Amino acid sequence: MGHKGVKKPALRLEIPALRGNRKHCLCETCNIEQWDSDEPVPRSELLEKVAGIRGLYCLLTEKIDAKVLDAAGPSLRVVSTMSVGYDHVSLEELKKRGIRLGYTPDVLTEAVAELTVALLLATSRRLLEAVDEAKNGGWGTWKPLWMCGYGLTDSTVGILGLGRIGAAVMARLKPFGVKRFLYADAGPRPDMATKIPAEFVPLDELARHSDVIVVCCALTPETQGICGNSLFSRMKDTAIFINTSRGGVVNQEALYQALVNGQIAAAGLDVTEPEPLPTDHPLFKLKNCVILPHIASATVATRNAMAALAASNLLAGLQGKAMGKEVPL
Ligand code: DGY
């Protein structure tokens, strides 16, 4: 029987990101200038095409700063990003101009939590290394100590940044037999912590007691580089470090040193700084570092939900109505 080829997933972004391949179309509600490609819109094209627009639908790949907002001019009233993170958008510049911002929390929580658990297990049980060994002849006889990693049963898991995603990660990890959940954040979050339950601790303590640390916090000026030498040096040498939030929260040089020097056992990263991480980056050379290309929310249903929410936020904002999900500025 002939090979039928791989069927593409049914990804239908009902109101696609306002990216514009010089296509100018008229929908019932508004004129849309669309960059019709999965590749990010070139900065020069963005700067040219935003002139005189009222609403901007963007992705996390577009830096929305003073330059873009100036290029758009005073007509711009709403920015809607198809992402839960909005560190690519200058809130200060939006606020100055009275521009509203929509984003897409909640609809991606489950997908991101699921991928976080997958990345954790792939890292702690050394799945990628084991697959390589099996394929490349490293698989000899069964050996008692070969390819041993770390399990979750009776472990302590520390969450850095206990929001919706952190809580969803904990709920998924609980059935694995985790004994204790800790979390560090700007302050206690009893709304999120009581269901599990999880104990609020200072970051130092989180580092000292956790067998696994999962980073779920947003990238802000306060969290920029928060996972650095002072965190890694306090962690157990058997600990696993997982980041599915933003690359900027990690000092990658410090992480590299911690992995090479055996300060921690392994790391799993879905996000890096920069993205894409250059293929010759030293972290790619380490067997105890699993790197994914920022795919935590990449399920067909989730991306469709994000696209639809971002579009409805934009339309509501343009009509001067309450957005489904709006960042308070
Ligand atoms: C977001 O939405 O901010 C994620 O990082 C991408 O899904």
Side-chain angles (χ1 to χ4, degrees):
M1 211 166 78
H3 182 64
K4 294 261 171 57
V6 181
K7 201 166 165 253
K8 278 200 175 166
L11 187 59
R12 279 193 321 128
L13 304 184
E14 296 297 347
I15 307 178
L18 264 193
R19 312 176 115 202
N21 204 5
R22 298 181 188 283
K23 210 193 257 179
H24 192 257
C25 62
L26 186 70
C27 78
E28 278 168 30
T29 345
C30 49
N31 292 315
I32 299 175
E33 187 81 40
Q34 180 193 15
W35 175 256
D36 191 12
S37 161
D38 217 31
E39 295 300 322
V41 58
R43 178 88 174 162
S44 55
E45 180 88 7
L46 178 67
L47 289 171
E48 185 194 323
K49 295 292 181 186
V50 290
I53 61 169
R54 290 188 58 221
L56 176 62
Y57 184 135
C58 67
L59 308 183
L60 56 83
T61 41
E62 278 91 57
K63 198 170 164 52
I64 307 303
D65 54 8
K67 204 161 176 196
V68 170
L69 301 176
D70 286 346
S75 56
L76 185 59
R77 305 314 317 143
V78 192
V79 173
S80 176
T81 181
M82 187 185 138
S83 59
V84 64
Y86 44 82
D87 45 284
H88 55 296
V89 181
S90 168
L91 302 187
E92 203 186 313
E93 295 297 333
L94 289 190
K95 203 172 169 184
K96 256 195 236 166
R97 295 164 171 81
I99 298 171
R100 296 166 67 190
L101 176 63
Y103 72 137
T104 64
D106 297 331
V107 293
L108 48 55
T109 301
E110 315 299 318
V112 174
E114 183 176 279
L115 189 283
T116 304
V117 173
L119 178 57
L120 165 52
L121 292 173
T123 307
S124 60
R125 297 301 304 272
R126 303 170 64 179
L127 297 191
L128 275 74
E129 228 184 308
V131 168
D132 275 352
E133 294 286 339
K135 274 193 202 159
N136 301 330
W139 182 8
T141 56
W142 186 94
K143 287 177 285 215
L145 298 180
W146 190 60
M147 278 294 135
C148 287
Y150 298 94
L152 286 166
T153 309
D154 286 336
S155 66
T156 296
V157 171
I159 304 283
L160 175 50
L162 185 58
R164 294 168 292 256
I165 294 172
V169 169
M170 290 198 296
R172 279 159 183 73
L173 290 180
K174 204 172 176 181
F176 283 89
V178 172
K179 192 168 68 188
R180 195 174 170 212
F181 285 101
L182 308 175
Y183 73 101
D185 209 318
R189 297 287 311 261
D191 51 328
M192 296 288 177
T194 36
K195 274 182 253 156
I196 294 297
E199 303 160 45
F200 176 67
V201 291
L203 188 54
D204 282 11
E205 233 176 277
L206 189 93
R208 265 201 304 278
H209 297 295
S210 300
D211 298 301
V212 173
I213 288 187
V214 183
V215 182
C216 297
C217 61
L219 175 61
T220 63
E222 291 74 38
T223 62
Q224 176 88 38
I226 194 170
C227 301
N229 191 37
S230 124
L231 180 89
F232 298 128
S233 62
R234 286 176 170 81
M235 283 171 68
K236 300 181 185 181
D237 59 6
T238 52
I240 308 291
F241 176 81
I242 302 295
N243 184 13
T244 50
S245 68
R246 283 291 183 270
V249 300
V250 177
N251 176 333
Q252 277 173 189
E253 177 53 31
L255 174 63
Y256 177 79
Q257 292 304 334
L259 289 167
V260 168
N261 300 333
Q263 266 175 342
I264 66 171
L269 311 173
D270 182 49
V271 286
T272 58
E273 185 61 50
E275 290 183 5
L277 193 65
T279 51
D280 61 354
H281 194 281
L283 282 173
F284 275 123
K285 309 233 164 14
L286 301 181
K287 285 190 174 177
N288 57 349
C289 189
V290 176
I291 301 177
L292 300 178
H294 202 150
I295 56 161
S297 68
T299 72
V300 172
T302 301
R303 289 286 164 84
N304 273 324
M306 290 165 71
L309 176 55
S312 72
N313 282 342
L314 182 67
L315 291 174
L318 287 172
Q319 289 160 1
K321 296 183 184 156
M323 291 188 203
K325 298 288 170 185
E326 182 166 354
V327 179
L329 295 176

mmCIF file of all heavy atoms in Angstrom, residues 36-70:
data_model
loop_
_atom_site.group_PDB
_atom_site.id
_atom_site.type_symbol
_atom_site.label_atom_id
_atom_site.label_comp_id
_atom_site.label_asym_id
_atom_site.label_seq_id
_atom_site.Cartn_x
_atom_site.Cartn_y
_atom_site.Cartn_z
ATOM 1 N N ASP A 36 -0.006 37.225 6.006
ATOM 2 C CA ASP A 36 -0.562 35.888 5.865
ATOM 3 C C ASP A 36 0.540 34.835 5.748
ATOM 4 O O ASP A 36 0.738 34.230 4.699
ATOM 5 C CB ASP A 36 -1.479 35.859 4.628
ATOM 6 C CG ASP A 36 -2.292 34.584 4.585
ATOM 7 O OD1 ASP A 36 -2.328 33.861 5.584
ATOM 8 O OD2 ASP A 36 -2.889 34.318 3.526
ATOM 9 N N SER A 37 1.280 34.646 6.825
ATOM 10 C CA SER A 37 2.365 33.672 6.815
ATOM 11 C C SER A 37 2.589 33.212 8.243
ATOM 12 O O SER A 37 2.295 33.949 9.185
ATOM 13 C CB SER A 37 3.629 34.336 6.277
ATOM 14 O OG SER A 37 4.770 33.600 6.638
ATOM 15 N N ASP A 38 3.117 31.987 8.418
ATOM 16 C CA ASP A 38 3.412 31.514 9.765
ATOM 17 C C ASP A 38 4.730 32.111 10.266
ATOM 18 O O ASP A 38 5.054 32.034 11.442
ATOM 19 C CB ASP A 38 3.474 29.975 9.772
ATOM 20 C CG ASP A 38 2.897 29.391 11.057
ATOM 21 O OD1 ASP A 38 1.975 30.014 11.634
ATOM 22 O OD2 ASP A 38 3.378 28.335 11.497
ATOM 23 N N GLU A 39 5.499 32.695 9.349
ATOM 24 C CA GLU A 39 6.754 33.366 9.736
ATOM 25 C C GLU A 39 6.413 34.740 10.309
ATOM 26 O O GLU A 39 5.451 35.367 9.876
ATOM 27 C CB GLU A 39 7.646 33.568 8.501
ATOM 28 C CG GLU A 39 8.147 32.287 7.871
ATOM 29 C CD GLU A 39 8.984 31.451 8.821
ATOM 30 O OE1 GLU A 39 9.764 32.040 9.597
ATOM 31 O OE2 GLU A 39 8.839 30.225 8.819
ATOM 32 N N PRO A 40 7.215 35.223 11.257
ATOM 33 C CA PRO A 40 6.925 36.552 11.813
ATOM 34 C C PRO A 40 6.996 37.646 10.751
ATOM 35 O O PRO A 40 7.788 37.552 9.811
ATOM 36 C CB PRO A 40 8.033 36.755 12.850
ATOM 37 C CG PRO A 40 8.637 35.432 13.092
ATOM 38 C CD PRO A 40 8.382 34.588 11.878
ATOM 39 N N VAL A 41 6.180 38.653 10.924
ATOM 40 C CA VAL A 41 6.203 39.786 10.005
ATOM 41 C C VAL A 41 7.551 40.512 10.167
ATOM 42 O O VAL A 41 7.995 40.759 11.286
ATOM 43 C CB VAL A 41 5.005 40.729 10.280
ATOM 44 C CG1 VAL A 41 4.999 41.247 11.703
ATOM 45 C CG2 VAL A 41 4.984 41.897 9.313
ATOM 46 N N PRO A 42 8.231 40.842 9.050
ATOM 47 C CA PRO A 42 9.477 41.614 9.188
ATOM 48 C C PRO A 42 9.187 42.958 9.859
ATOM 49 O O PRO A 42 8.145 43.568 9.616
ATOM 50 C CB PRO A 42 9.939 41.809 7.739
ATOM 51 C CG PRO A 42 9.224 40.771 6.956
ATOM 52 C CD PRO A 42 7.918 40.512 7.655
ATOM 53 N N ARG A 43 10.105 43.379 10.693
ATOM 54 C CA ARG A 43 9.934 44.624 11.461
ATOM 55 C C ARG A 43 9.632 45.812 10.521
ATOM 56 O O ARG A 43 8.761 46.622 10.793
ATOM 57 C CB ARG A 43 11.222 44.863 12.264
ATOM 58 C CG ARG A 43 11.275 46.114 13.075
ATOM 59 C CD ARG A 43 10.718 45.922 14.435
ATOM 60 N NE ARG A 43 10.908 47.118 15.243
ATOM 61 C CZ ARG A 43 10.244 47.382 16.337
ATOM 62 N NH1 ARG A 43 9.341 46.549 16.788
ATOM 63 N NH2 ARG A 43 10.466 48.488 17.014
ATOM 64 N N SER A 44 10.353 45.889 9.394
ATOM 65 C CA SER A 44 10.164 47.027 8.488
ATOM 66 C C SER A 44 8.739 47.025 7.918
ATOM 67 O O SER A 44 8.111 48.076 7.782
ATOM 68 C CB SER A 44 11.184 46.967 7.342
ATOM 69 O OG SER A 44 11.071 45.713 6.696
ATOM 70 N N GLU A 45 8.242 45.841 7.620
ATOM 71 C CA GLU A 45 6.880 45.710 7.079
ATOM 72 C C GLU A 45 5.863 46.130 8.147
ATOM 73 O O GLU A 45 4.897 46.830 7.877
ATOM 74 C CB GLU A 45 6.667 44.235 6.683
ATOM 75 C CG GLU A 45 5.324 43.907 6.096
ATOM 76 C CD GLU A 45 5.248 44.092 4.589
ATOM 77 O OE1 GLU A 45 6.295 44.365 3.965
ATOM 78 O OE2 GLU A 45 4.141 43.975 4.044
ATOM 79 N N LEU A 46 6.113 45.691 9.368
ATOM 80 C CA LEU A 46 5.214 46.040 10.472
ATOM 81 C C LEU A 46 5.175 47.555 10.648
ATOM 82 O O LEU A 46 4.100 48.164 10.719
ATOM 83 C CB LEU A 46 5.686 45.355 11.761
ATOM 84 C CG LEU A 46 4.877 45.655 13.022
ATOM 85 C CD1 LEU A 46 3.476 45.074 12.920
ATOM 86 C CD2 LEU A 46 5.567 45.095 14.263
ATOM 87 N N LEU A 47 6.368 48.166 10.669
ATOM 88 C CA LEU A 47 6.435 49.617 10.882
ATOM 89 C C LEU A 47 5.721 50.378 9.769
ATOM 90 O O LEU A 47 5.077 51.397 10.007
ATOM 91 C CB LEU A 47 7.899 50.064 10.985
ATOM 92 C CG LEU A 47 8.617 49.643 12.267
ATOM 93 C CD1 LEU A 47 10.108 49.943 12.194
ATOM 94 C CD2 LEU A 47 8.006 50.335 13.492
ATOM 95 N N GLU A 48 5.796 49.852 8.575
ATOM 96 C CA GLU A 48 5.145 50.526 7.443
ATOM 97 C C GLU A 48 3.625 50.338 7.503
ATOM 98 O O GLU A 48 2.862 51.281 7.359
ATOM 99 C CB GLU A 48 5.704 49.943 6.141
ATOM 100 C CG GLU A 48 5.205 50.644 4.909
ATOM 101 C CD GLU A 48 5.490 49.836 3.647
ATOM 102 O OE1 GLU A 48 6.562 49.200 3.555
ATOM 103 O OE2 GLU A 48 4.597 49.833 2.770
ATOM 104 N N LYS A 49 3.221 49.087 7.770
ATOM 105 C CA LYS A 49 1.790 48.777 7.654
ATOM 106 C C LYS A 49 0.930 49.238 8.816
ATOM 107 O O LYS A 49 -0.283 49.274 8.708
ATOM 108 C CB LYS A 49 1.600 47.264 7.479
ATOM 109 C CG LYS A 49 2.164 46.726 6.190
ATOM 110 C CD LYS A 49 1.357 47.235 5.019
ATOM 111 C CE LYS A 49 1.904 46.671 3.723
ATOM 112 N NZ LYS A 49 1.257 47.221 2.554
ATOM 113 N N VAL A 50 1.562 49.545 9.968
ATOM 114 C CA VAL A 50 0.742 49.953 11.110
ATOM 115 C C VAL A 50 0.244 51.400 10.989
ATOM 116 O O VAL A 50 -0.674 51.789 11.724
ATOM 117 C CB VAL A 50 1.477 49.791 12.466
ATOM 118 C CG1 VAL A 50 1.661 48.334 12.821
ATOM 119 C CG2 VAL A 50 2.779 50.554 12.493
ATOM 120 N N ALA A 51 0.810 52.134 10.066
ATOM 121 C CA ALA A 51 0.445 53.566 9.975
ATOM 122 C C ALA A 51 -1.066 53.738 9.839
ATOM 123 O O ALA A 51 -1.688 53.193 8.930
ATOM 124 C CB ALA A 51 1.162 54.197 8.789
ATOM 125 N N GLY A 52 -1.640 54.450 10.766
ATOM 126 C CA GLY A 52 -3.065 54.806 10.694
ATOM 127 C C GLY A 52 -4.037 53.713 11.131
ATOM 128 O O GLY A 52 -5.249 53.906 11.014
ATOM 129 N N ILE A 53 -3.556 52.586 11.650
ATOM 130 C CA ILE A 53 -4.497 51.530 12.059
ATOM 131 C C ILE A 53 -5.146 51.869 13.401
ATOM 132 O O ILE A 53 -4.626 52.661 14.180
ATOM 133 C CB ILE A 53 -3.812 50.133 12.171
ATOM 134 C CG1 ILE A 53 -2.692 50.148 13.219
ATOM 135 C CG2 ILE A 53 -3.305 49.665 10.827
ATOM 136 C CD1 ILE A 53 -2.183 48.773 13.565
ATOM 137 N N ARG A 54 -6.303 51.208 13.672
ATOM 138 C CA ARG A 54 -6.989 51.426 14.966
ATOM 139 C C ARG A 54 -6.733 50.283 15.928
ATOM 140 O O ARG A 54 -6.780 50.448 17.138
ATOM 141 C CB ARG A 54 -8.495 51.578 14.727
ATOM 142 C CG ARG A 54 -8.846 52.889 14.031
ATOM 143 C CD ARG A 54 -10.353 53.086 13.989
ATOM 144 N NE ARG A 54 -10.916 53.088 15.313
ATOM 145 C CZ ARG A 54 -12.058 52.488 15.646
ATOM 146 N NH1 ARG A 54 -12.754 51.824 14.749
ATOM 147 N NH2 ARG A 54 -12.518 52.556 16.881
ATOM 148 N N GLY A 55 -6.517 49.082 15.349
ATOM 149 C CA GLY A 55 -6.282 47.921 16.209
ATOM 150 C C GLY A 55 -5.132 47.107 15.667
ATOM 151 O O GLY A 55 -4.955 47.004 14.450
ATOM 152 N N LEU A 56 -4.338 46.518 16.561
ATOM 153 C CA LEU A 56 -3.198 45.706 16.143
ATOM 154 C C LEU A 56 -3.281 44.338 16.805
ATOM 155 O O LEU A 56 -3.343 44.224 18.029
ATOM 156 C CB LEU A 56 -1.886 46.395 16.542
ATOM 157 C CG LEU A 56 -0.590 45.633 16.252
ATOM 158 C CD1 LEU A 56 -0.398 45.386 14.765
ATOM 159 C CD2 LEU A 56 0.611 46.404 16.811
ATOM 160 N N TYR A 57 -3.309 43.295 15.978
ATOM 161 C CA TYR A 57 -3.322 41.911 16.463
ATOM 162 C C TYR A 57 -1.892 41.405 16.284
ATOM 163 O O TYR A 57 -1.383 41.390 15.177
ATOM 164 C CB TYR A 57 -4.299 41.128 15.605
ATOM 165 C CG TYR A 57 -4.581 39.679 15.962
ATOM 166 C CD1 TYR A 57 -5.895 39.221 15.965
ATOM 167 C CD2 TYR A 57 -3.584 38.766 16.238
ATOM 168 C CE1 TYR A 57 -6.193 37.901 16.248
ATOM 169 C CE2 TYR A 57 -3.871 37.449 16.521
ATOM 170 C CZ TYR A 57 -5.170 37.011 16.524
ATOM 171 O OH TYR A 57 -5.460 35.694 16.794
ATOM 172 N N CYS A 58 -1.251 41.012 17.363
ATOM 173 C CA CYS A 58 0.154 40.625 17.236
ATOM 174 C C CYS A 58 0.438 39.313 17.953
ATOM 175 O O CYS A 58 -0.414 38.787 18.668
ATOM 176 C CB CYS A 58 1.047 41.733 17.794
ATOM 177 S SG CYS A 58 0.891 41.938 19.576
ATOM 178 N N LEU A 59 1.640 38.831 17.739
ATOM 179 C CA LEU A 59 2.108 37.611 18.384
ATOM 180 C C LEU A 59 3.264 37.968 19.314
ATOM 181 O O LEU A 59 3.753 39.101 19.291
ATOM 182 C CB LEU A 59 2.590 36.608 17.332
ATOM 183 C CG LEU A 59 1.625 36.291 16.200
ATOM 184 C CD1 LEU A 59 2.227 35.239 15.299
ATOM 185 C CD2 LEU A 59 0.279 35.849 16.722
ATOM 186 N N LEU A 60 3.762 36.969 20.052
ATOM 187 C CA LEU A 60 4.870 37.265 20.961
ATOM 188 C C LEU A 60 6.176 37.523 20.222
ATOM 189 O O LEU A 60 7.167 37.953 20.822
ATOM 190 C CB LEU A 60 5.036 36.143 21.999
ATOM 191 C CG LEU A 60 5.233 34.702 21.517
ATOM 192 C CD1 LEU A 60 6.654 34.406 21.167
ATOM 193 C CD2 LEU A 60 4.741 33.736 22.583
ATOM 194 N N THR A 61 6.189 37.281 18.917
ATOM 195 C CA THR A 61 7.389 37.542 18.123
ATOM 196 C C THR A 61 7.520 39.025 17.739
ATOM 197 O O THR A 61 8.561 39.437 17.242
ATOM 198 C CB THR A 61 7.360 36.690 16.843
ATOM 199 O OG1 THR A 61 6.034 36.700 16.319
ATOM 200 C CG2 THR A 61 7.777 35.260 17.124
ATOM 201 N N GLU A 62 6.466 39.786 17.926
ATOM 202 C CA GLU A 62 6.519 41.200 17.557
ATOM 203 C C GLU A 62 6.761 42.078 18.787
ATOM 204 O O GLU A 62 5.988 42.013 19.745
ATOM 205 C CB GLU A 62 5.198 41.633 16.887
ATOM 206 C CG GLU A 62 5.136 41.272 15.430
ATOM 207 C CD GLU A 62 4.519 39.919 15.187
ATOM 208 O OE1 GLU A 62 3.384 39.694 15.613
ATOM 209 O OE2 GLU A 62 5.205 39.069 14.569
ATOM 210 N N LYS A 63 7.839 42.850 18.723
ATOM 211 C CA LYS A 63 8.114 43.773 19.836
ATOM 212 C C LYS A 63 7.241 45.008 19.633
ATOM 213 O O LYS A 63 7.381 45.721 18.630
ATOM 214 C CB LYS A 63 9.605 44.134 19.788
ATOM 215 C CG LYS A 63 10.127 44.717 21.068
ATOM 216 C CD LYS A 63 11.649 44.798 20.979
ATOM 217 C CE LYS A 63 12.241 45.696 22.028
ATOM 218 N NZ LYS A 63 11.818 45.414 23.400
ATOM 219 N N ILE A 64 6.335 45.222 20.560
ATOM 220 C CA ILE A 64 5.448 46.383 20.439
ATOM 221 C C ILE A 64 5.981 47.462 21.389
ATOM 222 O O ILE A 64 5.701 47.466 22.587
ATOM 223 C CB ILE A 64 3.975 45.998 20.769
ATOM 224 C CG1 ILE A 64 3.527 44.789 19.921
ATOM 225 C CG2 ILE A 64 3.058 47.196 20.544
ATOM 226 C CD1 ILE A 64 3.630 44.965 18.423
ATOM 227 N N ASP A 65 6.761 48.351 20.804
ATOM 228 C CA ASP A 65 7.434 49.380 21.598
ATOM 229 C C ASP A 65 7.056 50.765 21.075
ATOM 230 O O ASP A 65 6.202 50.908 20.192
ATOM 231 C CB ASP A 65 8.960 49.159 21.534
ATOM 232 C CG ASP A 65 9.458 49.082 20.091
ATOM 233 O OD1 ASP A 65 8.659 49.351 19.169
ATOM 234 O OD2 ASP A 65 10.638 48.749 19.887
ATOM 235 N N ALA A 66 7.738 51.784 21.586
ATOM 236 C CA ALA A 66 7.415 53.167 21.209
ATOM 237 C C ALA A 66 7.514 53.359 19.694
ATOM 238 O O ALA A 66 6.702 54.067 19.093
ATOM 239 C CB ALA A 66 8.363 54.121 21.925
ATOM 240 N N LYS A 67 8.482 52.677 19.074
ATOM 241 C CA LYS A 67 8.686 52.863 17.632
ATOM 242 C C LYS A 67 7.459 52.394 16.837
ATOM 243 O O LYS A 67 6.980 53.086 15.934
ATOM 244 C CB LYS A 67 9.935 52.084 17.204
ATOM 245 C CG LYS A 67 10.553 52.608 15.969
ATOM 246 C CD LYS A 67 11.971 52.153 15.805
ATOM 247 C CE LYS A 67 12.445 52.687 14.459
ATOM 248 N NZ LYS A 67 13.628 52.059 13.985
ATOM 249 N N VAL A 68 6.939 51.233 17.204
ATOM 250 C CA VAL A 68 5.755 50.708 16.508
ATOM 251 C C VAL A 68 4.548 51.594 16.806
ATOM 252 O O VAL A 68 3.762 51.920 15.905
ATOM 253 C CB VAL A 68 5.467 49.243 16.941
ATOM 254 C CG1 VAL A 68 4.123 48.770 16.424
ATOM 255 C CG2 VAL A 68 6.584 48.321 16.458
ATOM 256 N N LEU A 69 4.412 51.992 18.060
ATOM 257 C CA LEU A 69 3.244 52.794 18.433
ATOM 258 C C LEU A 69 3.299 54.181 17.778
ATOM 259 O O LEU A 69 2.272 54.710 17.330
ATOM 260 C CB LEU A 69 3.148 52.916 19.955
ATOM 261 C CG LEU A 69 3.038 51.560 20.689
ATOM 262 C CD1 LEU A 69 3.037 51.765 22.196
ATOM 263 C CD2 LEU A 69 1.798 50.786 20.265
ATOM 264 N N ASP A 70 4.502 54.743 17.674
ATOM 265 C CA ASP A 70 4.644 56.027 16.970
ATOM 266 C C ASP A 70 4.327 55.852 15.495
ATOM 267 O O ASP A 70 3.680 56.704 14.882
ATOM 268 C CB ASP A 70 6.072 56.572 17.120
ATOM 269 C CG ASP A 70 6.312 57.115 18.522
ATOM 270 O OD1 ASP A 70 5.314 57.312 19.256
ATOM 271 O OD2 ASP A 70 7.489 57.317 18.885
#
